[in-house]
Amino acid sequence: EPEVTQTPSHQVTQMGQEVILRCVPISNHLYFYWYRQILGQKVEFLVSFYNNEISEKSEIFDDQFSVERPDGSNFTLKIRSTKLEDSAMYFCASSEAGARATDTQYFGPGTRLTVL
Amino acid sequence: GNSVTQMEGPVTLSEEAFLTINCTYTATGYPSLFWYVQYPGEGLQLLLKATKADDKGSNKGFEATYRKETTSFHLEKGSVQVSDSAVYFCALNSGYSTLTFGKGTMLLVSP
């Protein structure tokens, strides 16, 4: 069964450094998402991406964050200058379609980001 | 805005016990409702979903019914197994391509 993959599984970085989290969505899916979960808190939406542009973003997704689909298979989340509070589990997801409430999003296993 | 409230965990049960995990929601419009499960060390997997009032989603012995009148989507299973130990997330999508999640409920099943 096709699945969303993410690399690395765990990333440790120093405060102020740039990190890039990578995701390979399911191949025929058109919508891509990033979510994060700070330890002990809810899973929170960051951004959705369709047709090579951001379709929605949350208040969390400020100028420090960016997303890109650099080729036909990868989807990346970049954090330009990491802060301690960016430490979280980051989940990538994809869906076949995306603008409807009924569409199912399929999640990857997550990347645990630790900012020291 | 949208929100999902789940019962606090952990829920600790013996094998073959009946499971209920409560979930209530607040949403604009007509949301779809989802239960995701996260097994240790793995990502979020869709367990079941319901897209309109009175729909029942079911999978792997788990069921949940979309109750618009009580804004609820409680997860139930008649007889849990040790392998069901995981964190369960209730979520909704009201049509803006974003999922709103509850905090998750950890289920621990002992033999």
Side-chain angles (χ1 to χ4, degrees):
Chain A
E1 185 176 326
E3 57 183 21
V4 177
T5 59
Q6 290 185 242
T7 54
S9 56
H10 191 189
Q11 173 94 46
V12 181
T13 190
Q14 296 290 324
M15 191 168 57
Q17 294 296 302
E18 174 184 288
V19 294
I20 297 176
L21 310 183
R22 292 184 165 79
C23 169
V24 179
I26 295 172
S27 62
N28 64 333
H29 285 187
L30 300 178
Y31 283 78
F32 315 116
Y33 313 84
W34 285 101
Y35 291 79
R36 78 172 186 191
Q37 184 182 29
I38 295 171
L39 192 63
Q41 299 187 25
K42 294 186 180 188
V43 177
E44 302 171 290
F45 168 77
L46 293 178
V47 66
S48 60
F49 191 85
Y50 170 70
N51 200 25
N52 280 322
E53 59 183 33
I54 291 173
S55 49
E56 288 187 64
K57 60 182 182 179
S58 71
E59 294 168 353
I60 303 167
F61 194 87
D62 61 22
D63 291 344
Q64 292 299 310
F65 292 89
S66 62
V67 289
E68 191 180 27
R69 187 150 163 84
D71 54 43
S73 58
N74 290 285
F75 179 52
T76 62
L77 174 69
K78 182 194 289 187
I79 309 175
R80 284 192 187 80
S81 178
T82 50
K83 303 189 279 285
L84 295 176
E85 54 264 38
D86 294 326
S87 294
M89 179 73 88
Y90 288 81
F91 292 105
C92 174
S94 69
S95 61
E96 209 169 337
R100 300 168 303 187
T102 54
D103 295 319
T104 297
Q105 296 179 22
Y106 295 88
F107 284 75
T111 293
R112 179 163 298 286
L113 176 65
T114 302
V115 182
L116 302 176
Chain B
N2 297 338
S3 68
V4 175
T5 303
Q6 288 181 237
M7 60 190 292
E8 293 283 331
V11 173
T12 305
L13 295 173
S14 298
E15 209 164 23
E16 299 183 4
F18 184 85
L19 168 71
T20 300
I21 299 178
N22 290 338
C23 171
T24 57
Y25 68 89
T26 303
T28 54
Y30 302 96
S32 292
L33 302 173
F34 303 82
W35 277 100
Y36 281 85
V37 59
Q38 185 178 32
Y39 298 102
E42 299 185 18
L44 298 166
Q45 300 177 25
L46 178 68
L47 181 59
L48 53 85
K49 73 178 190 182
T51 59
K52 60 184 189 298
D54 301 324
D55 265 3
K56 178 186 284 189
S58 61
N59 186 25
K60 299 182 183 179
F62 290 89
E63 293 182 339
T65 301
Y66 187 166
R67 301 279 187 209
K68 193 164 185 288
E69 64 277 11
T70 55
T71 61
S72 64
F73 192 55
H74 304 321
L75 183 67
E76 296 182 335
K77 187 175 186 184
S79 175
V80 293
Q81 305 300 311
V82 172
S83 57
D84 293 327
S85 297
V87 181
Y88 292 81
F89 293 90
C90 186
L92 69 84
N93 185 332
S94 60
Y96 296 99
S97 82
T98 67
L99 282 169
T100 300
F101 284 89
K103 286 191 77 170
T105 302
M106 180 177 288
L107 171 65
L108 299 170
V109 181
S110 56

